[in-house]
Amino acid sequence: MASAILGSTVLVSFFLLLASLCDAQLSTSYYDSTCSQAAQIVQNEVTNILQSNPNLAAGFLRLHFHDCWVNGCDGSVTIKSTSDNTAEMDGNVNFQLRAIPEIDQIKAAVEAECPDTVSCADIIALAAKEATVYANGPSWTVALGRRDSRVSRANDADTQLPFPVLPFSGLVDNFANKGFSAREMIVLSGSHTIGHTHCNGIGPNLYNYTGQDSLTDTNPNLDTTFADDLKNTCPKGNRFNIVDMDSSPNSFDSGYFDGVLANKGHMITDDELIRGPSGDSIVQSLAQPGSSWYSEFSAGMAKMSQLGPLLSPDGEIRKTCQVIN
Ligand code: HEM
Ligand SMILES: *[C@@H]1O[C@H](CO)[C@@H](O)[C@H](O)[C@H]1NC(C)=O
C-alpha cells in the first residue's frame, strides 16, 4: 500500500516535472513580474545609440542572426575569447562583427534596474528588433526567456554560419539545416539592405570567382561598371575597406533587392540569390512596392529568434555579456 502511494506520488511528480519542462518556452510576459520595464529600457538605449550612429542598426541585426544560427539564441556570440578558448566572435565568419560593446552598454542599463534578471540573449533579440524598426523596417514580436550559454567556440560559428562564397544550393542547404526554406533564406537576406560590408567579403566575387585568384577572375554576371567601382574601393587583397550594402544603408527598403536584380550583388551570395531555381522570380516579387516582404521578414525573424534557445534551468543570466559568470 505504502509503496503504491509512493509509486503514484513519484509518477505524479514525474508528470508535473514533464509538464513544466514542456511548458518551458519563450513568452512575451516572461519578465512581467521580475523586470516589466526590460523591453522599454532596451528600446530607449537602442534609440539613444542609433541617434548618434544610425548605421549601427545593421550591427544589431547581424549580431542577432549570428547568435541564433550557432547553437541557438543563447548570447554565445558576445562572449570574449580567453587564453584557453577561441570564442565565436573570433571565428572567420564573424569578421568585423559590430555592436558588442553597445549590447554591454544596454545590459548595464538593464542591470541597474533589474540585477541578474534579464539575459544577454534576450537583450540581443530585443535590440535587433528595435534597430530594424529604427531603420524604418518591419517589427516583430520578441518572446522572452532565453538563458545565456556558458560555451562559445569559434569553430561552431565557422561550421554553422554561411560564408559569403556559397552557391545558391549551399545557401539553401545552410538554411535548411536550421529549418528554413529557400524562400525564407531570400527573405532574410534582404537584411543586407542596411549596413555595410568590408572588402573581405567582396574579394572572392571580384578576384577569385572560379578559384583562379587573379585580377580578372571576376563574377561574369556582375554589371561591369559596378564591378569596376567595387575594384576601385576593394583592390585585390584588401580586406578592411568598407562598402555600403546599398545606396540607402540606414534605411530598410527594397534597395538591396533592386541592386541584386540589376546584377549589383556585392558578395557572391548576394548575386547567387537570382541564379538558383525560382530565386529570380522570388527576388523580383519581394522587391515590388507593397510586396509581402515585410510581413515575411517579420515572420522569419520571429522564427529565427526562437531557434534552440537555452531555457531555465539551463544556462545562466550573465552579468556582463562578454564574460561568463
Ligand atoms: C544568406 C547568407 C548570408 C551571408 C553569406 C552573409 C554574409 C555577410 C557578410 C560577409 C557581411 C559583411 C560583414 C562585414 O564585412 O562587415 C554581412 C553583413 C550583414 N549581414 Fe549578412 N549574410 C547572410 C545572411 C544574413 C541574414 C539572414 C541576416 C539577418 C537576418 C544578415 C544580416 C546582415 C547585416 C544587417 C549586415 C550588415 C552588418 C554591418 O553593417 O555591420 N545577413 N553578411
Ligand atoms: C580562391 O578560391 C579557391 C577555391 O575556392 C580557394 O582554395 C582559395 O583559398 C581562394 N583564394 C583566396 C586568396 O581567397
Side-chain angles (χ1 to χ4, degrees):
M1 182 65 189
S3 79
I5 291 174
L6 187 65
S8 61
T9 309
V10 168
L11 207 65
V12 167
S13 343
F14 174 74
F15 279 111
L16 283 177
L17 177 71
L18 204 67
S20 74
L21 285 179
C22 295
D23 238 352
Q25 58 182 16
L26 302 179
S27 133
T28 49
S29 55
Y30 191 81
Y31 296 116
D32 278 7
S33 60
T34 53
C35 188
S36 58
Q37 65 276 48
Q40 189 61 53
I41 300 172
V42 176
Q43 185 187 77
N44 295 345
E45 292 293 316
V46 169
T47 304
N48 277 338
I49 290 166
L50 296 182
Q51 265 162 3
S52 54
N53 183 8
N55 196 253
L56 196 64
F60 286 115
L61 182 54
R62 182 180 179 219
L63 193 65
H64 184 37
F65 169 46
H66 284 217
D67 188 29
C68 295
W69 222 241
V70 184
N71 305 326
C73 315
D74 58 2
S76 54
V77 70
T78 56
I79 295 176
K80 269 193 302 201
S81 293
T82 57
S83 55
D84 53 8
N85 180 58
T86 308
E88 286 175 27
M89 70 156 85
D90 291 317
N92 294 317
V93 80
N94 279 324
F95 185 74
Q96 296 292 100
L97 206 57
R98 295 200 280 170
I100 291 173
E102 287 78 8
I103 287 293
D104 256 334
Q105 182 182 330
I106 301 167
K107 172 68 166 168
V110 174
E111 284 297 296
E113 297 206 24
C114 317
D116 302 321
T117 307
V118 182
S119 67
C120 295
D122 278 346
I123 290 174
I124 295 168
L126 286 166
K129 187 261 292 179
E130 293 305 341
T132 305
V133 170
Y134 190 90
N136 290 318
S139 189
W140 60 91
T141 302
V142 181
L144 300 167
R146 297 166 192 77
R147 301 265 295 179
D148 294 326
S149 106
R150 299 172 53 81
V151 178
S152 175
R153 295 192 192 93
N155 187 57
D156 288 350
D158 284 337
T159 50
Q160 297 179 44
L161 279 161
F163 279 89
V165 297
L166 291 174
F168 187 83
S169 60
L171 289 170
V172 170
D173 289 349
N174 179 275
F175 276 67
N177 281 339
K178 302 291 173 185
F180 287 73
S181 68
R183 185 178 176 97
E184 287 172 318
M185 182 275 288
I186 295 173
V187 162
L188 292 173
S189 293
S191 296
H192 288 180
T193 177
I194 53 173
H196 60 220
T197 169
H198 293 76
C199 292
N200 185 56
I202 300 175
N205 207 13
L206 299 177
Y207 305 114
N208 201 18
Y209 189 67
T210 66
Q212 303 300 302
D213 193 12
S214 75
L215 282 172
T216 54
D217 192 6
T218 306
N219 180 349
N221 297 319
L222 292 185
D223 175 275
T224 49
T225 310
F226 174 75
D228 288 345
D229 287 349
L230 276 188
K231 285 180 172 185
N232 278 333
T233 315
C234 298
K236 190 168 183 298
N238 179 288
R239 301 180 66 205
F240 289 95
N241 288 351
I242 289 177
V243 180
D244 287 338
M245 286 285 197
D246 70 10
S247 54
S248 50
N250 299 338
S251 162
F252 200 100
D253 56 24
S254 68
Y256 166 75
F257 287 138
D258 297 338
V260 168
L261 288 168
N263 302 314
K264 298 174 180 174
H266 291 93
M267 302 166 219
I268 291 177
T269 43
D270 296 322
D271 178 63
E272 279 295 305
L273 295 187
I274 55 170
R275 308 296 163 201
S278 73
D280 187 40
S281 61
I282 294 175
V283 177
Q284 278 191 34
S285 74
L286 295 174
Q288 295 301 315
S291 81
S292 56
W293 176 40
Y294 268 33
S295 59
E296 290 186 60
F297 188 85
S298 300
M301 289 306 298
K303 178 174 169 180
M304 176 191 294
S305 81
Q306 309 237 5
L307 276 173
L310 266 187
L311 298 171
S312 179
D314 295 325
E316 64 181 17
I317 302 296
R318 227 175 279 144
K319 289 183 191 297
T320 67
C321 295
Q322 297 184 48
V323 185
I324 59 174
N325 291 346

